[in-house]
Amino acid sequence: RRSRPAVSPALVGPRRHSQRDILSMNSTGTEWLRSTRSGGFCESLLALSNRTGPWPEEPPFVGERPGKLEPGAAATAASIIFLGGYELLTARHSIPVARYLNILILLNGITSMMNHITHNVYFDFWDGASMILAVNLAAALWFETLVELVWPRWCSCCVSAGPPLRTVCIGCVWLLVCAVMTPLGMTRVAPFGGLLAIPGSFVLFFNLPILLMVLTAAAMLHCGMSHMIQPTGSHLVSTATSDEPAGLCEGDQKDSPAPASEWALLGAARVYLWVGVASYLFGFVCWNVVEQGCDAMPDGFRAIGHAIWHLGAAYGLHCLFCLLIFFRAVLDARRFDGRWRFRFRSSPSTLLRVWLCVLPVPEVLEPPLGMSV
């Protein structure tokens, strides 16, 4: 029987990679990162002439859809980059951790944009990892601030134990959030998505810290006035220039020892909290509805689902960032003379005032000379 002549691999074209090949590539170290792609989101289907499959020949990828350019998601990732830089360069405070948080948001925006353009698994990893790190870092700082604010009243029975017990509680908060929640969240980031097979675990691990921050912030802003308006029994004087009651009822103002300017700040904080929550939820629901029902979605929804998530989540988390600086400023007032030195930046220009109303800039003014923490 005549033997078939050998054919050069170059003439055959790219061969189909089996699952064994992919696993073999993954086990050789980082070499596979150069060629393996992370797959795509629902928007990537718009680049295919056949929307229902089977998909054309593609290099090996992690995911269920071929990684194609996603222009809507890539373009709106610029909003994440903008807000990260906006917070870093305009917010006035002295919290180094918050500045590192801004850097993580910037990194998330850049890697998210590159992920939606190239679908390289390296950018996919940093896209997910920077989100997890930023949310958990913010949550740890948030709950540390909360413990400091409520400790004198809610933990009065532990006052005799002194600062060490409070320090232990704060340390446990950081351990729980950063040493437990963060590694759990990273198990859902490519290429480690199969380490913990729990349905919906990414939604849980990423959104649980955000949910707890929102609930505790709402509790403090609506029910925790005793911890904020009068934390040390002193009469606080805000540096805010507005004397408007910010939508609060007349009885609330009359019964409180705080001046109207403080109620204006509290009213603004409440508005930004719920506007931020609504923005985040809208983006989250749009994204998940489109991704989960992608096969039955019209092309118009496929094109905007992930883009709305970028815009809604970025703005919602910006509002939460402003509230984080607000609560830290209330805590700092206790360490100085009891006076609030927080304000949302304003401007005599009508155009800039509108801009700063939509995109608030938190500011914490310097304490008087001679005062120290």
Side-chain angles (χ1 to χ4, degrees):
R1 189 172 63 176
R2 296 176 60 185
S3 61
R4 298 175 61 183
V7 181
S8 171
L11 301 178
V12 176
R15 69 183 182 89
R16 184 184 296 275
H17 293 272
S18 66
Q19 187 66 24
R20 180 177 297 178
D21 292 333
I22 296 175
L23 292 176
S24 176
M25 292 169 67
N26 291 2
S27 65
T28 59
T30 59
E31 193 68 25
W32 64 284
L33 289 175
R34 299 179 182 177
S35 58
T36 301
R37 294 193 296 168
S38 62
F41 294 93
C42 188
E43 187 184 354
S44 67
L45 299 188
L46 298 178
L48 303 178
S49 58
N50 180 6
R51 301 281 198 275
T52 59
W55 314 127
E57 278 293 330
E58 293 285 333
F61 61 86
V62 181
E64 299 177 353
R65 302 187 186 106
K68 295 290 185 177
L69 173 64
E70 298 164 351
T76 51
S79 66
I80 306 174
I81 300 173
F82 168 75
L83 285 175
Y86 185 72
E87 294 166 357
L88 180 66
L89 300 176
T90 62
R92 182 177 175 184
H93 57 82
S94 55
I95 311 172
V97 175
R99 302 196 190 283
Y100 183 60
L101 179 63
N102 300 148
I103 296 297
L104 287 174
I105 295 172
L106 266 171
L107 178 63
N108 175 253
I110 294 170
T111 54
S112 177
M113 179 180 289
M114 294 304 299
N115 181 30
H116 290 292
I117 293 174
T118 67
H119 292 287
N120 185 286
V121 74
Y122 178 79
F123 294 119
D124 193 14
F125 167 76
W126 275 111
D127 183 10
S130 56
M131 283 197 302
I132 296 291
L133 292 172
V135 165
N136 286 309
L137 182 62
L141 183 60
W142 183 286
F143 293 123
E144 175 183 342
T145 305
L146 188 66
V147 170
E148 294 276 13
L149 283 172
V150 305
W151 188 272
R153 288 178 180 267
W154 287 8
C155 305
S156 56
C157 59
C158 304
V159 170
S160 58
L165 181 58
R166 183 176 67 230
T167 303
V168 169
C169 290
I170 292 173
C172 289
V173 166
W174 279 84
L175 279 173
L176 177 63
V177 176
C178 295
V180 177
M181 289 300 297
T182 300
L184 285 175
M186 294 292 284
T187 63
R188 302 303 303 160
V189 174
F192 311 115
L195 291 180
L196 193 62
I198 300 177
S201 55
F202 181 80
V203 173
L204 173 65
F205 296 143
F206 179 69
N207 288 286
L208 181 60
I210 297 174
L211 175 62
L212 294 178
M213 284 192 286
V214 168
L215 292 177
T216 52
M220 290 296 290
L221 289 173
H222 290 277
C223 308
M225 294 299 97
S226 59
H227 303 290
M228 301 178 64
I229 293 295
Q230 205 174 9
T232 57
S234 60
H235 185 70
L236 306 184
V237 179
S238 170
T239 56
T241 57
S242 171
D243 291 328
E244 296 295 326
L248 298 174
C249 65
E250 185 176 352
D252 284 343
Q253 271 193 284
K254 183 178 179 181
D255 296 337
S256 170
S261 55
E262 287 179 9
W263 285 107
L265 280 175
L266 286 168
R270 291 173 180 174
V271 169
Y272 284 125
L273 170 66
W274 296 117
V275 168
V277 169
S279 175
Y280 183 89
L281 280 178
F282 180 70
F284 180 77
V285 170
C286 288
W287 172 38
N288 279 272
V289 167
V290 170
E291 290 296 329
Q292 297 301 320
C294 183
D295 292 340
M297 283 288 160
D299 284 354
F301 288 155
R302 287 171 172 169
I304 64 174
H306 206 95
I308 293 176
W309 158 247
H310 281 171
L311 297 173
Y315 184 74
L317 295 179
H318 171 69
C319 292
L320 281 182
F321 172 79
C322 293
L323 292 180
L324 173 62
I325 304 301
F326 170 74
F327 279 109
R328 293 296 300 185
V330 174
L331 179 60
D332 288 341
R334 180 182 302 168
R335 298 170 175 171
F336 295 116
D337 57 353
R339 298 173 182 267
W340 285 12
R341 292 185 171 79
F342 176 89
R343 70 183 180 191
F344 291 107
R345 184 179 297 175
S346 187
S347 171
S349 167
T350 302
L351 186 60
L352 281 178
R353 252 196 330 271
V354 172
W355 172 274
L356 292 170
C357 181
V358 176
L359 290 172
V361 174
E363 289 188 321
V364 182
L365 305 184
E366 300 291 337
L369 292 176
M371 289 193 175
S372 58
V373 178

